[in-house]
């Protein structure tokens, strides 16, 4: 499970946690988020701009 | 005055004092102005006194912007984390939230319990609407922040002018699609504010509602669920405004309708002037480039920036939307508005004058340099604009 970060506002998407408010259950892989996904906090950064912080 | 300091390994001691620190308190004492008309009415007995707050907002503030001029000062980047952590700034935004409820209730009480001419009721509705427009501005500042408490306050204050969809639509819709032809909250060159409003108000509601629907569907919930953030805010509006109608009678219907419309129109006005004619280029994948500071019109005027929690430093806001108001920066070579927002609103209300002042400014921007293909143009006006300015012709500032 990986953690990915928005390079603009540092919002973190943790695959293990998902994002309950956004409707992504725990275990949802970043890869499987919609293609048009943009950062839920800043709305500026596209999905492919997110940077992987840790993975195992 | 608080001074922030940092010992930097390369740059040595960095220190910063925010000269506007105590000026931000003006945002909290702004309700004095809506109430000033009522105070002067009691002093003089003349209903003309009720127009004072509107005169202040639309005539005095633009003059004060011209008199006090610009503040282009920026905090050093290294100091920004300390500045953002200083709770003083955010507490000011928190305090304004209950004040927006209080001012609307006070003005509604005045309208509902005094014998007033129709013109006085209109003046009070516009005054209350202008102040609730500032409430949308407070919601804008709070709704961009990450702590849930601040997002809750944004939802609450949006209930005052019944504009509960704003934060969802603004953060996810406008910020993602800003300065593109399809964005209902970015105005096009040649589009008057009176045409723009028909795209902006319904377009924003529709987009906000759709986004909330998609989010709730992912949670396997109906859009009519109690978890709908938009409906929660509108429910508070119904209690507040329904309560005012019950308490003060039928006069509240036209009063609240005009109040709500005028508050929304403040946002329409801000959206109109913030990105007029600006367009993001498409990258090699056919996708719009990331929003840059030159995709928003900026203004550094001291007075109106203080009133609006630095909203006019809009270029940095769109490039870095979660940055707090006290940390927003000015940059070199930004699209610059020739007055603060309130002065620019007046200009926008007279379309021929707006085009005369702004169209040449759009074309003279360094990244546009007269190239009409890089301008967001109203398709209905394209022919006339091409005939007037030519394709690719350089236009002097």
């Amino acid at each position: 499970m990986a953690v990915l970060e928005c390079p603009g506002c540092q919002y973190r998407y943790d695959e293990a946690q998902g994002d309950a408010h956004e409707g992504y259950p725990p275990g949802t892989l970043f890869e499987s988020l919609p293609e048009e996904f943009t950062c839920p906090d800043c709305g500026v950064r596209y999905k492919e701009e997110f940077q992987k912080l840790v993975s195992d | 005055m608080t001074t922030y300091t940092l010992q930097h390994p390369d740059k040595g001691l960095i220190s910063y004092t925010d000269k506007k620190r105590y000026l931000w308190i003006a945002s909290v004492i702004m309700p004095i102005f809506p109430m000033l008309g009522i105070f002067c009415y009691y002093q003089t007995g003349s209903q003309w006194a009720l127009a004072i707050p509107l005169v202040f907002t639309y005539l005095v503030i633009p003059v004060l912007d011209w008199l006090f001029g610009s503040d282009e000062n920026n905090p050093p980047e290294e100091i920004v984390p300390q500045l953002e952590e200083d709770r003083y700034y955010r507490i000011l935004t928190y305090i304004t939230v209950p004040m927006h409820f209080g001012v609307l209730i006070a003005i509604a009480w005045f309208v509902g319990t005094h014998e007033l001419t129709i013109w006085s009721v209109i003046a009070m509705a516009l005054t209350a609407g202008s102040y609730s427009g500032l409430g949308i501005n407070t919601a804008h500042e709070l709704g961009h922040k990450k702590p849930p408490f601040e997002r809750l306050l944004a939802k609450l204050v949006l209930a005052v002018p019944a504009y509960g969809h704003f934060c969802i639509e603004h953060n996810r819709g406008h910020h993602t699609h800003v300065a593109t032809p399809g964005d209902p909250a970015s105005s096009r060159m040649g589009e008057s504010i009176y045409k723009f409003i028909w795209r902006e108000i319904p377009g924003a509601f529709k987009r906000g509602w759709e986004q909330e629907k998609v989010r709730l569907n992912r949670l396997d919930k109906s859009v009519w669920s109690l978890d709908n953030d938009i409906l929660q805010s509108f429910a508070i509006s119904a209690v507040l405004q329904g309560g005012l109608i019950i308490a003060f009678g039928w006069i509240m219907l036209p009063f609240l309708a005009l109040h709500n419309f005028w508050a929304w129109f403040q946002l329409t006005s801000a959206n109109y002037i913030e990105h007029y004619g600006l367009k993001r280029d498409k990258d090699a994948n056919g996708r719009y480039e990331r929003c840059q500071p030159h995709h928003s019109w900026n203004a550094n005027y001291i007075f109106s920036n203080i009133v609006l929690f630095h909203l006019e430093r809009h270029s940095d806001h769109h490039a870095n939307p979660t940055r707090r108001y006290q940390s927003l920066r000015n940059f070199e070579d930004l699209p610059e508005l020739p007055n603060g927002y309130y002065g620019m609103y007046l200009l926008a209300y007279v379309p021929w004058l707006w085009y005369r002042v702004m169209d040449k400014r759009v074309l003279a921007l360094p990244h546009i340099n007269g190239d009409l293909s890089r301008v967001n143009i109203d398709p209905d006006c394209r022919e006339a604009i091409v005939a007037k300015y030519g394709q690719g012709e350089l236009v002097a500032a």
Side-chain angles (χ1 to χ4, degrees):
Chain A
M1 290 278 148
V3 178
L4 292 103
E5 186 178 85
C6 168
C9 77
Q10 283 72 53
Y11 163 84
R12 283 185 183 182
Y13 182 80
D14 181 343
E15 291 180 333
Q17 307 278 325
D19 186 326
H21 184 262
E22 291 303 309
Y24 303 123
T28 307
L29 298 179
F30 189 75
E31 211 178 76
S32 62
L33 297 181
E35 273 318 296
E36 65 277 11
F37 175 89
T38 50
C39 174
D41 276 350
C42 72
V44 174
R45 300 299 185 126
Y46 292 124
K47 186 178 174 184
E48 66 269 20
E49 292 181 84
F50 272 62
Q51 291 163 356
K52 198 172 269 192
L53 293 182
V54 286
S55 62
D56 53 36
Chain B
M1 195 71 84
T2 306
T3 299
Y4 308 92
T5 56
L6 178 89
Q7 193 63 43
H8 192 272
D10 303 324
K11 298 179 183 173
L13 182 69
I14 301 173
S15 68
Y16 175 70
T17 307
D18 178 8
K19 290 180 185 149
K20 287 194 273 198
R21 181 176 176 90
Y22 296 113
L23 293 179
W24 295 115
I25 294 172
S27 303
V28 176
I29 59 173
M30 271 307 278
I32 288 174
F33 293 106
M35 305 315 284
L36 190 63
I38 297 175
F39 175 77
C40 292
Y41 165 74
Y42 282 132
Q43 294 297 311
T44 63
S46 167
Q47 294 195 23
W48 283 100
L50 298 174
I52 289 173
L54 292 173
V55 171
F56 179 81
T57 301
Y58 291 105
L59 297 178
V60 177
I61 293 182
V63 172
L64 292 178
D65 272 340
W66 177 71
L67 276 177
F68 293 150
S70 288
D71 163 37
E72 293 172 5
N73 203 24
N74 285 342
E77 262 320 280
E78 295 84 356
I79 294 290
V80 165
Q82 289 184 46
L83 199 55
E84 297 252 323
E85 280 306 306
D86 187 338
R87 295 184 64 78
Y88 163 79
Y89 293 98
R90 68 187 77 170
I91 285 169
L92 293 181
T93 59
Y94 301 171
I95 295 171
T96 64
V97 173
M99 293 172 84
H100 283 285
F101 283 85
V103 167
L104 177 62
I105 292 168
I107 294 179
W109 165 81
F110 179 76
V111 169
T113 56
H114 290 69
E115 287 293 325
L116 299 174
T117 65
I118 181 77
W119 297 110
S120 296
V121 174
I122 291 171
M124 293 318 292
L126 296 182
T127 300
S130 299
Y131 186 60
S132 293
L134 279 181
I136 299 179
N137 182 59
T138 299
H140 175 256
E141 171 65 23
L142 291 166
H144 271 298
K145 302 302 164 294
K146 297 176 187 231
F149 177 64
E150 296 186 57
R151 293 185 179 184
L152 172 68
L153 287 179
K155 198 173 1 181
L156 284 174
V157 74
L158 284 176
V160 178
Y163 218 64
H165 57 287
F166 170 72
C167 283
I168 294 167
E169 130 59 25
H170 177 84
N171 292 14
R172 302 297 184 79
H174 177 56
H175 270 270
T176 303
H177 300 284
V178 63
T180 64
D183 180 28
S186 300
S187 65
R188 304 160 176 164
M189 186 172 172
E191 183 178 40
S192 77
I193 190 167
Y194 305 110
K195 185 178 180 188
F196 175 66
I197 190 172
W198 291 100
R199 216 163 50 85
E200 193 249 4
I201 291 181
F205 182 81
K206 195 171 161 227
R207 190 164 64 181
W209 185 258
E210 282 299 319
Q211 278 157 342
E212 191 60 352
K213 188 177 172 184
V214 168
R215 181 183 78 85
L216 288 164
N217 287 349
R218 273 200 301 264
L219 289 161
D220 285 330
K221 288 178 182 167
S222 154
V223 72
W224 298 104
S225 134
L226 291 177
D227 290 323
N228 183 320
D229 283 332
I230 298 175
L231 291 179
Q232 289 174 4
S233 186
F234 276 114
I236 302 165
S237 304
V239 171
L240 172 67
Q241 301 202 355
L244 292 175
I245 293 166
I246 291 166
F248 303 122
W250 69 267
I251 189 67
M252 285 295 106
L253 287 173
F255 168 79
L256 288 171
L258 187 55
H259 156 269
N260 290 346
F261 171 74
W262 200 250
W264 304 353
F265 187 55
Q266 300 305 296
L267 176 66
T268 302
S269 304
N271 276 331
Y272 183 74
I273 67 171
E274 282 165 346
H275 309 282
Y276 179 77
L278 303 178
K279 191 170 82 171
R280 283 150 66 189
D281 287 335
K282 284 190 173 173
D283 60 22
N285 302 327
R287 210 143 59 160
Y288 286 105
E289 63 177 316
R290 188 193 312 151
C291 182
Q292 304 289 324
H294 62 260
H295 296 126
S296 309
W297 290 93
N298 199 61
N300 289 305
Y301 295 93
I302 295 173
F303 197 86
S304 49
N305 259 309
I306 288 293
V307 171
L308 291 166
F309 287 127
H310 250 167
L311 178 69
E312 300 182 1
R313 286 205 168 170
H314 213 62
S315 297
D316 195 16
H317 167 65
H318 263 276
N320 301 285
T322 57
R323 191 173 269 251
R324 290 182 184 274
Y325 70 94
Q326 67 270 27
S327 314
L328 290 171
R329 298 158 295 178
N330 175 52
F331 297 110
E332 293 293 317
D333 296 326
L334 287 178
E336 282 286 344
L337 293 172
N339 195 275
Y341 274 20
Y342 290 97
M344 296 311 292
Y345 293 172
L346 281 187
L347 195 62
Y349 301 158
V350 187
W352 67 269
L353 202 54
W354 171 267
Y355 302 141
R356 204 173 155 150
V357 172
M358 290 302 294
D359 287 1
K360 64 182 181 189
R361 283 180 175 260
V362 172
L363 295 170
L365 292 172
H367 75 283
I368 293 176
N369 202 19
D371 181 355
L372 288 173
S373 71
R374 305 191 75 184
V375 179
N376 186 6
I377 299 176
D378 181 346
D380 295 339
C381 304
R382 178 170 291 280
E383 233 171 83
I385 287 171
V386 169
K388 188 169 179 184
Y389 295 108
Q391 191 68 51
E393 184 186 320
L394 287 175
V395 178

